[in-house]
Amino acid sequence: MNLKNTFLLTFKWILICVLIGVFSGSASAFFLVSLEWVTQFREHNKWIIWLLPMGGLAIGLLYHYYGKDVVKGNNLLLEEYENPQKTIPLKMAPLVLIGTLITHLFGGSAGREGTAVQMGGAIADQFKKLFKLNNSERKTLVILGISAGFASVFGTPLAGALFALEVLYFSKINLRSIILSFIVAYVAYFTVEFWQVKHTQYHISIVPEMTIINLMWIIIVGLSFGLTSMLFSRTTHFWGRLFSKTIKYAPLRPFLGGIILAVAIYFIGTTKYIGLGIPTIVESFSTPNASYDFLLKILFTGFTLGAGFKGGEVTPLFFIGATLGSALSIYVPLPIALLAGLGFVAVFSGATHTPIACTVMGMELFGIESGVFIGIACVVAYFSSGSIGIYHSQIVKGAKHHLYQRIKRQNLEDF
């Protein structure tokens, strides 16, 4: 390849990164502002929660008649990366945006990462035809879409770039994709900054020395975070299977699920466990949570998503991990903010099989001083969270895959 062709190729991919980053970042900025508005409206008009069944029916009908080919969400992105078939329909972006806003407006428990990643992936994949890319190059587009969506919605460009690479386990990923993943993440991140949309700030003020005693405590809490990740993943999959088996007509699933959720929210007497739960996450860094907070969030989120409502899993995972870490501060002799921060990223690490991205995310959010603690907790949670994560189509490879394969073989031999 001569110098001119190299220059043109480089220019083409940088242009693609800028376009994906700007469009995805702008979509995320609009989404974040809209999400804040519907959340505030719901909190000031709690009667609207009684309309959750109708919101669920609207989502169900929307996807049943217009979105059957994109209903898999994040799993569709993973499948198209591993086995490219056809361009991801652009309609995935507005459908998941509308579905997520409806979920949060009426009181479902869900996150936002799935929405941003799906919008980013759908936007990115449209450039295949425009730039006449082959299937190999299209894989790079999928990576760029995931990176842009994640980085822009959480304000963590390094973690966003690594998450896009790690969630695919660096499978058939070349150096070009790695470099471009970081470029598009920063473009998307600065696009959100340009629109002056702010992200929630967290802080760990006290970081103790790393001693043998503290290391043992980090391993213990890391195990608890990993087991919690497993519980969340299996709970979400359980509700999804149950609704699919018992209710054949898909639009009725979120309708009936909405009835049960609305009644449950009424009797529990609080909206603490619905929506994103950001105020509770922030509070967990300074005030110990009740020991059952994380369990109720698992139940509400698993049921919401399993019933067919839209949204992501990651922010609920942040809630679950932070409140669990906060509750453990009563028994574990480590600073409450540190434990909440460790849970925040470690439960996410276990549920998505992405310990590297989660470690970097922890350092981006909480500061590099706590990096060693975060890294250990994320790795322990990653290995102890089981072989099934929140994404059905994710291919788990590497050390964790070999560990669980060995455990299975030994169990069969013992049997």
Side-chain angles (χ1 to χ4, degrees), residues 112-324:
R112 52 193 173 177
E113 131 281 339
T115 307
V117 166
Q118 288 173 52
M119 290 194 300
I123 291 169
D125 214 22
Q126 306 313 305
F127 291 101
K128 177 190 176 184
K129 293 180 180 179
L130 181 62
F131 288 92
K132 299 178 180 179
L133 305 178
N134 57 38
N135 279 340
S136 175
E137 293 172 317
R138 185 179 170 231
K139 287 176 176 283
T140 301
L141 287 181
V142 175
I143 293 171
L144 299 185
I146 295 174
S147 175
F150 193 99
S152 57
V153 81
F154 290 124
T156 53
L158 288 176
L162 287 169
F163 177 80
L165 300 169
E166 194 177 10
V167 76
L168 300 167
Y169 190 69
F170 301 95
S171 175
K172 303 173 185 176
I173 292 176
N174 54 39
L175 180 61
R176 178 187 65 197
S177 297
I178 295 173
I179 295 172
L180 295 176
S181 182
F182 282 92
I183 293 174
V184 76
Y186 274 96
V187 173
Y189 167 75
F190 284 117
T191 298
V192 174
E193 291 287 300
F194 171 80
W195 290 117
Q196 298 183 351
V197 177
K198 302 299 180 183
H199 298 282
T200 307
Q201 300 296 313
Y202 305 96
H203 185 59
I204 297 176
S205 57
I206 302 174
V207 180
E209 293 183 6
M210 177 57 75
T211 63
I212 296 296
I213 299 296
N214 286 343
L215 174 61
M216 295 304 297
W217 280 118
I218 295 300
I219 292 173
I220 291 170
V221 298
L223 285 169
S224 69
F225 296 144
L227 294 174
T228 302
S229 301
M230 183 192 301
L231 178 61
F232 177 85
S233 298
R234 293 182 183 275
T235 299
T236 304
H237 297 327
F238 166 78
W239 288 117
R241 289 193 301 269
L242 183 64
F243 273 98
S244 297
K245 288 180 180 179
T246 56
I247 305 173
K248 297 303 180 184
Y249 185 57
L252 281 180
R253 296 169 194 164
F255 174 73
L256 295 175
I259 293 174
I260 296 171
L261 280 171
V263 172
I265 295 167
Y266 172 77
F267 278 106
I268 205 169
T270 178
T271 58
K272 184 177 183 178
Y273 307 108
I274 64 175
L276 293 174
I278 297 296
T280 301
I281 297 175
V282 173
E283 184 182 332
S284 69
F285 280 73
S286 57
T287 305
N289 284 91
S291 58
Y292 53 80
D293 281 345
F294 79 100
L295 289 172
L296 286 175
K297 187 63 172 178
I298 289 175
L299 179 61
F300 272 88
T301 305
F303 190 88
T304 297
L305 298 177
F309 287 91
K310 297 303 172 183
E313 299 93 345
V314 173
T315 305
L317 287 169
F318 294 162
F319 181 111
I320 292 162
T323 54
L324 173 57

Side-chain angles (χ1 to χ4, degrees), residues 319-399:
F319 181 111
I320 292 162
T323 54
L324 173 57
S326 179
L328 289 174
S329 67
I330 299 174
Y331 312 100
V332 178
L334 290 172
I336 183 174
L338 178 63
L339 288 169
L342 294 181
F344 186 107
V345 289
V347 172
F348 175 31
S349 169
T352 57
H353 311 301
T354 57
I356 300 173
C358 291
T359 298
V360 172
M361 183 179 205
M363 290 189 285
E364 283 188 286
L365 291 173
F366 312 130
I368 198 170
E369 299 82 7
S370 55
V372 175
F373 289 91
I374 292 170
I376 295 170
C378 286
V379 170
V380 173
Y382 163 70
F383 278 108
S384 59
S385 61
S387 57
I388 298 174
I390 56 176
Y391 305 131
H392 283 292
S393 301
Q394 184 180 15
I395 296 176
V396 182
K397 300 179 181 179

